[in-house]
Amino acid sequence: MRLLRQLFFVFLAVGLLGGILMLFAYDVIKVEWPSFMEIQPSFRPMEKPLPVPERSIPVEGAVAIAGLGAPENPVPADETSVARGAQLFAIHCQMCHGPAGEGNGQIAPFLVNFKPANLTLPIVQDKSDGALFLTITNGVKDRMPALNENLTVRERWDVVNFIRTLKAATP
Ligand code: HEC
């Protein structure tokens, strides 16, 4: 009889303790544990960037509205814009597309599956400014990287204005 009573108290104690622990384990009583930076959503070097949250708009405003086609070029192709475009092209595009946009950049020989487009050809030049802008913004899937993170909206239009001069340069 004494043994039973002792057992009863042991089980009661264990049960109570477990019950109290459960309150915390199942967040009935929520404890704000210190959180660690390394367990937040993040991406590591060479990982694809996290997708943009749904229904969010970049700080610069939406560059193009889906379903409304390519945007209009708001930046006049004046000397300043073309000069800036040339500089930005040299930094962001030349290694693939070549100094004159002919598709013969330094790393072009190493791109095995798809060669960079020759930007002087009608197949590119006949596209609208907006279409070129979207190519820079979104890249070409599995072929050319999206450069929207490297170039601001204004800078992308400058590059587009510069691409237009490549056409005139070829006979
Ligand atoms: C990593 C190499 C690489 C870089 C950097 C790059 N491109 Fe490209 N680009 C490519 C490749 C490869 C293609 C060919 C895609 C295809 O075969 O359709 C291409 C195609 C294009 C086209 C033609 C797209 C079409 O639909 O015909 C344009 C315009 C273009 N690039 C512009 C640019 C501009 C402007 C930049 C810099 C802001 C740039 N590219 C940077 C590799 C690159």
Side-chain angles (χ1 to χ4, degrees):
M1 220 36 212
R2 234 183 92 203
L3 186 70
L4 269 185
R5 201 187 303 150
Q6 275 174 344
L7 269 179
F8 172 77
F9 280 114
V10 168
F11 279 115
L12 192 72
V14 170
L16 271 177
L17 201 71
I20 290 167
L21 279 178
M22 296 277 190
L23 287 180
F24 294 100
Y26 288 97
D27 277 352
V28 180
I29 298 172
K30 214 174 155 118
V31 185
E32 291 292 332
W33 300 107
S35 59
F36 299 101
M37 292 284 273
E38 70 264 27
I39 52 178
Q40 68 184 341
S42 62
F43 63 98
R44 297 178 188 286
M46 304 308 285
E47 247 179 21
K48 287 211 167 146
L50 292 176
V52 179
E54 235 182 288
R55 298 182 59 79
S56 64
I57 295 177
V59 279
E60 292 174 284
V63 291
I65 299 166
L68 283 190
E72 292 281 321
N73 186 347
V75 180
D78 55 19
E79 219 174 288
T80 319
S81 172
V82 171
R84 279 178 26 138
Q87 281 184 352
L88 295 165
F89 185 89
I91 297 169
H92 296 284
C93 322
Q94 182 172 320
M95 68 289 218
C96 287
H97 287 284
E102 286 162 342
N104 53 357
Q106 273 165 336
I107 71 167
F110 302 102
L111 297 176
V112 184
N113 294 327
F114 298 100
K115 295 294 175 198
N118 182 340
L119 305 182
T120 64
L121 293 182
I123 189 167
V124 171
Q125 291 292 340
D126 287 350
K127 294 188 178 188
S128 69
D129 282 3
L132 297 178
F133 175 88
L134 288 182
T135 300
I136 302 173
T137 304
N138 303 323
V140 182
K141 195 171 181 300
D142 295 331
R143 302 184 183 191
M144 174 180 141
L147 290 161
N148 57 335
E149 290 189 356
N150 301 33
L151 298 162
T152 64
V153 170
R154 164 74 210 236
E155 287 172 339
R156 274 172 251 164
W157 287 119
D158 290 336
V159 172
V160 169
N161 287 337
F162 171 71
I163 293 178
R164 290 300 181 209
T165 68
L166 296 175
K167 179 192 194 178
T170 50

